Structure formats: structure tokens, C-alpha cells
């Protein structure tokens, strides 16, 4: 139950950092999400099938692993803090995370 508490805190904090969406940021986030999905489908699907798994197993594995991790958001937050990336990059990554989470 303590894990659920911290997960709730993480997503509440993420929601507080989330700026109002603009059409450009959401469009770029959709593009990032499509690239993530395409790369994951190519890599994971082909590896599972290559090692002898059936196509259903490969598809389920790929769908379950097709997301942007929370670690990427932490790295983007640190990059923004140290002025390595701009605010718009963090916004795009947050929206890509939200799109791929569903």
C-alpha cells in the first residue's frame, strides 16, 4: 500500500508540472509517440519472433513495453533544471508519456 501512495504522489506531481497544451506541443508529442511505437515494434517484435516466439507473444510483449518511462521524465526535469533543454522539450515528453500511458 505504501507503493500506491508514492505512485499517487508521483502522478499528482506530474500533473502539477503539466502546462496547458498547445497544438504544436501536442503534435510534436504525437510524433514522438509514433517514433517510440515504431522503434519498439521493430526492435522488440523482431527479437521475440527471432528467438522463436509466436506472433501473439511478440505483439503482447511489444504493446506492454511501448511506453516512455518515468526515468525519461526525471532526466528531462534535470536537463531543464540545468538548462540543457528547454521548457518545450519537457512539455513534449510529458505529453508523449501521457499518450503512451493509455
Amino acid at each position: 500500500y505504501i507503493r500506491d501512495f508514492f505512485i499517487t504522489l508521483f502522478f499528482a506531481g506530474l500533473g502539477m508540472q503539466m502546462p496547458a497544451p498547445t497544438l504544436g506541443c501536442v503534435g510534436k508529442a504525437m510524433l514522438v509517440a509514433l517514433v517510440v511505437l515504431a522503434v519498439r515494434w521493430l526492435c522488440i517484435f523482431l527479437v521475440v519472433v527471432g528467438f522463436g516466439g509466436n506472433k501473439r507473444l511478440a505483439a503482447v510483449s511489444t504493446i506492454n513495453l511501448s511506453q516512455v518511462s518515468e526515468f525519461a521524465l526525471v532526466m528531462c526535469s534535470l536537463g531543464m533544471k540545468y538548462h540543457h533543454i528547454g521548457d518545450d522539450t519537457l512539455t513534449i515528453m510529458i505529453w508523449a508519456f501521457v499518450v503512451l500511458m493509455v
Side-chain angles (χ1 to χ4, degrees):
Y1 298 111
I2 192 78
R3 178 183 65 107
D4 296 336
F5 173 72
F6 285 114
I7 288 172
T8 303
L9 284 179
F10 172 77
F11 285 112
L14 181 65
M16 288 189 294
Q17 288 183 2
M18 199 172 205
T22 61
L23 188 59
C25 283
V26 173
K28 290 176 185 174
M30 291 293 181
L31 181 65
V32 168
L34 286 174
V35 168
V36 168
L37 286 173
V39 169
R40 297 287 168 99
W41 272 98
L42 284 174
C43 295
I44 297 170
F45 189 86
L46 293 177
V47 167
V48 173
V49 171
F51 279 116
N54 60 13
K55 290 183 181 179
R56 182 182 183 283
L57 174 65
V60 170
S61 300
T62 304
I63 290 169
N64 287 334
L65 294 173
S66 293
Q67 61 184 357
V68 174
S69 69
E70 294 86 0
F71 183 69
L73 296 178
V74 171
M75 294 303 292
C76 283
S77 295
L78 286 173
M80 192 180 78
K81 178 181 174 184
Y82 293 115
H83 305 290
H84 295 297
I85 62 172
D87 295 339
D88 57 338
T89 306
L90 180 63
T91 304
I92 291 167
M93 288 304 295
I94 290 172
W95 281 102
F97 176 79
V98 169
V99 168
L100 291 172
M101 186 178 7
V102 177

